């Protein structure tokens, strides 16, 4: 498998030098990442019996397919994996013999902070929360592992620096190209940057922000460790729901004991019914590898189609504001209004992120290259994986 990983890596470097790739550094890095994701996820879609001959064929396809075709294929591969995950979760949680209350009669479970800030809008405006088996989060996680072959644990990181705090660990085995985790939380398009708590210094007290190449920001801080129920979640609460542990708090772990600033109800809407026990909604706990360590996952943008209503409860995100109100375009370091998003041919989407395995994983810590900007002062613990990639990502 190591030789397979190196083969894909060498192919990406070769393709990146091709004239067909963008000459804009930022765009070049995005295309190189999609190229890599195309190979990883396509290989994964072949199943456990795939071999190096299949890898060679995929590399040939990656060299001949257009960027748009590769991007579409990556979305298709990721969506198929997420769909299998959602189907598996339904099989574990939904009792087909248990009658479900109609939406008009069901009273949704509401996020606790919504009561504290006076969100007392009529429940008839809220979607119903379907009944599920009363499994604890740990029980659900184990059953998912029994079905998929892996789940996730959050526990003290093995990264040897004082600010590492909690880390994300794969419990089980996953093949290259597998969706390992979903990045949960509140999604902000560039039009709503000013509503991110702490704006304009949004990352001063929040290390759980991540940015997609299209400028979409996801704030995982309100999600925290999830919860123990399926509930109506509006992103306005963040409670300390960590398992009992004797580990001393380190660095950013202390933020889990604070309540985040509630979102404006007129912008955040009434929320969505989400499965807060979601065993894969922990991507925000993945740490950056220490020196002489290598990342084993990479970020992948995933545009979840909102028409897939049966899957929606397992996508641990809500959008701040209306994604269709305004589109934005980046010029240099600035974003400007640019038309409307109502023209999306494939329907409305939720612009999310997942972590995809870049090699086979087995009972180990999940490590993600943070690619922090080298134009700003970086933390002392940060060791660049690839300075050139860091430079291109933020050029």
């Amino acid at each position: 498998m190591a030789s397979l990983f190196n083969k894909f890596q060498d192919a990406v470097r070769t393709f990146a030098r091709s004239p067909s790739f963008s000459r804009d550094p930022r765009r070049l890095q995005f295309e190189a990442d999609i190229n890599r994701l195309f190979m990883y996820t396509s290989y994964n879609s072949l199943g456990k019996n795939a071999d190096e001959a299949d890898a060679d064929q995929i590399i040939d396809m990656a060299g001949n397919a257009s960027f748009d075709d590769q991007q579409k294929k990556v979305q298709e591969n990721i969506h198929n994996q997420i769909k299998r995950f959602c189907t598996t979760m339904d099989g574990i949680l939904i009792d087909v013999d248990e009658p479900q209350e109609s939406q008009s009669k069901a009273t949704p479970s509401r996020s606790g902070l919504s009561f504290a800030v006076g969100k007392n809008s009529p429940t008839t405006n809220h979607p119903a929360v379907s009944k599920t088996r009363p499994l604890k989060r740990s029980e659900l996680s184990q059953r998912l592992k029994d079905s998929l072959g892996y789940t996730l644990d959050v526990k003290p990181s093995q990264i040897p620096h004082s600010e590492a705090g909690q880390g994300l660990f794969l419990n089980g085995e996953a093949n290259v190209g597998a969706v390992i985790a979903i990045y949960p939380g509140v999604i902000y398009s560039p039009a709503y940057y000013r509503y991110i708590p702490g704006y304009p210094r949004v990352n001063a007290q929040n290390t759980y922000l991540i940015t997609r190449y299209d400028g979409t920001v996801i704030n995982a801080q309100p999600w925290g460790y999830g919860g123990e129920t399926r509930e109506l979640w509006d992103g306005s609460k963040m409670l300390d729901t960590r398992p009992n542990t004797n580990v001393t708090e380190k660095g950013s772990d202390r933020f889990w004991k604070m309540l985040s600033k509630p979102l404006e109800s007129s912008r955040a809407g009434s929320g969505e019914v989400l499965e807060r026990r979601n065993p894969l909604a922990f991507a925000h706990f993945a740490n950056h590898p220490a020196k002489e360590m290598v990342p084993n996952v990479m970020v992948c943008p995933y545009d979840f189609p909102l028409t897939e209503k049966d899957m929606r409860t397992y996508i641990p995100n809500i959008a701040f504001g209306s994604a269709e109100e305004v589109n934005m375009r980046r010029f240099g370091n600035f974003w400007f209004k640019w038309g409307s998003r109502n023209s999306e041919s494939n329907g409305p989407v939720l612009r999310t992120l997942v972590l995809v395995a870049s090699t086979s994983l087995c009972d180990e810590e999940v490590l993600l290259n943070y690619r922090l900007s080298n134009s700003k002062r970086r933390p002392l613990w940060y060791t660049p994986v690839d300075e050139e990639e860091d430079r291109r990502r933020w050029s």
Side-chain angles (χ1 to χ4, degrees), residues 58-74:
I58 290 171
I59 290 172
D60 289 339
M61 292 170 58
N64 296 319
S66 68
F67 170 74
D68 287 342
D69 286 344
Q70 291 186 52
Q71 195 170 23
K72 290 177 182 177
K73 186 61 176 176
V74 169

Side-chain angles (χ1 to χ4, degrees), residues 203-214:
N203 60 348
Q205 292 187 338
N206 186 356
T207 58
Y208 299 98
L209 295 168
I210 195 168
T211 307
R212 297 187 2 156
Y213 274 97
D214 61 6

Side-chain angles (χ1 to χ4, degrees), residues 195-395:
Y195 295 101
I196 301 176
Y199 180 87
R201 298 184 63 207
V202 295
N203 60 348
Q205 292 187 338
N206 186 356
T207 58
Y208 299 98
L209 295 168
I210 195 168
T211 307
R212 297 187 2 156
Y213 274 97
D214 61 6
T216 300
V217 172
I218 305 178
N219 179 14
Q221 195 178 57
W223 184 267
Y225 286 77
E228 291 287 352
T229 62
R230 177 174 297 191
E231 65 181 18
L232 185 70
W233 191 71
D234 60 7
S236 64
K237 78 168 184 177
M238 184 184 66
L239 301 178
D240 183 10
T241 56
R242 286 179 295 179
N244 291 331
T245 176
N246 294 323
V247 178
T248 303
E249 291 178 347
K250 296 180 180 180
S252 56
D253 290 343
R254 296 186 181 92
F255 291 122
W256 294 123
K257 285 193 172 180
M258 300 188 300
L259 291 175
S260 63
K261 180 180 179 181
L263 302 177
E264 297 177 16
S265 59
S266 61
R267 293 284 185 175
S270 58
E272 293 284 348
V273 175
L274 301 183
E275 182 51 70
R276 296 272 284 155
R277 294 168 291 183
N278 190 330
L280 298 189
F282 294 111
H284 51 307
F285 285 103
N287 272 325
H288 181 81
K291 189 176 182 179
E292 299 182 356
M293 300 176 72
V294 294
N296 50 25
V297 296
M298 63 181 297
V299 165
C300 177
Y302 170 52
D303 293 343
F304 171 72
L306 290 169
T307 52
E308 296 274 15
K309 298 186 182 300
D310 291 342
M311 299 169 59
R312 179 65 183 94
T313 191
Y314 300 115
I315 308 301
N317 304 94
I318 59 170
F320 187 92
S322 172
E324 297 189 6
E325 282 183 9
V326 63
N327 200 359
M328 305 290 285
R329 180 165 292 187
R330 184 177 186 265
F331 293 93
N333 293 324
F334 300 95
W335 292 89
F336 296 92
K337 292 182 180 179
W338 194 271
S340 170
R341 283 182 175 166
N342 289 317
S343 60
E344 289 183 349
S345 58
N346 296 323
V349 298
L350 200 60
R351 300 175 188 276
T352 70
L353 281 172
V354 298
L355 301 186
V356 171
S358 56
T359 187
S360 293
L361 301 176
C362 180
D363 295 328
E364 59 190 280
E365 184 164 3
V366 176
L367 302 174
L368 172 67
N369 181 5
Y370 283 7
R371 282 184 182 163
L372 298 184
S373 173
N374 50 15
S375 65
K376 299 178 181 179
R377 184 177 180 181
R378 297 184 291 201
L380 295 176
W381 51 259
Y382 183 79
T383 301
V385 174
D386 188 319
E387 282 280 17
E388 182 63 20
E389 287 189 358
D390 290 357
R391 184 190 63 79
R392 287 198 299 255
R393 171 65 179 88
W394 298 105
S395 64

Side-chain angles (χ1 to χ4, degrees), residues 123-179:
T123 57
T124 54
N125 294 332
H126 297 297
V129 179
S130 59
K131 287 185 177 180
T132 62
R133 292 189 174 98
L135 298 176
K136 293 183 178 180
R137 183 172 49 185
S138 58
E139 296 173 321
L140 175 57
S141 182
Q142 181 58 49
R143 293 200 185 186
L144 181 69
K145 179 185 177 183
D146 295 340
S147 297
L148 290 187
Y150 65 90
T151 188
L152 295 173
D153 295 328
V154 177
K155 55 187 180 181
S157 175
Q158 296 175 348
I159 302 297
H161 67 75
S162 60
E163 295 184 37
Q166 298 291 87
L168 182 64
F169 290 79
L170 185 94
N171 181 349
E173 297 183 18
N175 200 5
V176 60
V179 172

